[in-house]
Amino acid sequence: MDRARVLPAVLDGRRVPAVRLPLELAALHRSLVPGERAEVRVGASQSHDRLTLLLAGGGFDVDAIAPSEDAVVALVTRARTLPDVVGPGMRLLVCGLNPSVYAADHGVGYARPGNRFWPAALDAGLVRRDRDPYDALEACGVGMTDLVKRATTGAAELSAGEYAAGARRVERLASWLRPGAVCFVGLAGWRSAVDRRAVPGPQPAPFGGRPAYVMPSTSGLNAHTSRAELAAHLAAAAALGA
């Protein structure tokens, strides 16, 4: 690896339990700006596939991965996206379609003022602080990820292939961390990648071995679903994994 091209940002996670690595990667992501590069080291026991999964979820493009004595070393580039905020013991994993550019630049999913996710989540008692995914995870057991990591100005820019690849990644994430349930916010991605006839509510088959719930989009453009209805969906999703 060409270390001369690497910025001094380094995550040495060799002594960090694997289930805590997503939060370490999220912290690294927040310390960089899009396009900056970093080096990530994990213990040699971590598989190439697991590290690739973690880095994609952490919001990084992988430039290279190679073994190095007692570690596996990856050179990565910080992408213009959001990192997963996930960990062990989640009662609910919330999965959006993909980050908006606005959300990616503000560092919080569903950040746009017109989006009703956070108001609905507060109404449902799912979280205790507005637009604070880290408190949602640590204090409330609610994690956050996205079906597709690429930030766009609208979900219409996403392809069926991106949805399918994203579903495979999130399925592996759910199988690994085993949240109480997985809640997909927005029908489009689920219908494209999993079940084109799906309707809102609990899904008939598990996802990554976990109960799955699909709910309408919380975007302000979705005028057909009220804030109260969104809150009810979130409460029902949380109850599914209780």
Side-chain angles (χ1 to χ4, degrees):
M1 293 188 179
D2 183 3
R3 295 176 183 270
R5 297 175 57 203
V6 181
L7 291 175
V10 174
L11 168 61
D12 191 341
R14 282 176 288 185
R15 293 178 178 82
V16 177
V19 292
R20 299 296 299 180
L21 281 172
L23 282 180
E24 296 290 333
L25 287 167
L28 177 64
H29 190 274
R30 295 199 309 273
S31 74
L32 304 173
V33 298
E36 282 192 303
R37 303 184 78 211
E39 179 180 286
V40 176
R41 301 190 194 108
V42 299
S45 62
Q46 292 296 323
S47 69
H48 184 286
D49 287 347
R50 172 67 57 78
L51 182 55
T52 300
L53 173 74
L54 289 171
L55 293 172
F60 294 96
D61 295 324
V62 179
D63 302 319
I65 298 179
S68 175
E69 297 181 358
D70 65 337
V72 179
V73 182
L75 300 187
V76 298
T77 299
R78 199 272 208 195
R80 190 185 187 187
T81 186
L82 292 171
D84 288 350
V85 182
V86 298
M90 292 180 289
R91 64 184 178 119
L92 186 67
L93 174 60
V94 175
C95 182
L97 293 182
N98 78 303
S100 68
V101 171
Y102 184 96
D105 289 348
H106 284 75
V108 179
Y110 311 102
R112 194 176 291 280
N115 195 295
R116 295 164 295 162
F117 173 82
W118 290 102
L122 286 163
D123 291 347
L126 198 66
V127 301
R128 64 178 191 175
R129 293 181 183 172
D130 186 34
R131 290 171 173 79
D132 190 340
Y134 297 93
D135 186 75
L137 177 66
E138 299 289 4
C140 305
V142 177
M144 300 188 73
T145 186
D146 293 286
L147 199 57
V148 178
K149 301 302 293 185
R150 182 169 69 91
T152 63
T153 56
E157 299 175 40
L158 303 175
S159 69
E162 285 178 295
Y163 279 135
R168 290 191 294 271
R169 184 191 72 83
V170 177
E171 186 173 25
R172 291 172 60 199
L173 185 69
S175 178
W176 174 44
L177 291 176
R178 299 187 63 78
V182 186
C183 178
F184 291 84
V185 181
L187 284 162
W190 182 266
R191 284 175 172 169
S192 176
V194 181
D195 180 1
R196 63 187 179 89
R197 295 186 177 88
V199 297
Q203 299 305 294
F207 185 83
R210 313 311 299 154
Y213 193 100
V214 178
M215 63 177 284
S217 170
T218 59
S219 169
L221 298 175
N222 178 20
H224 299 292
T225 308
S226 70
R227 172 170 157 178
E229 290 172 317
L230 294 172
H233 279 295
L234 288 169
L240 189 63

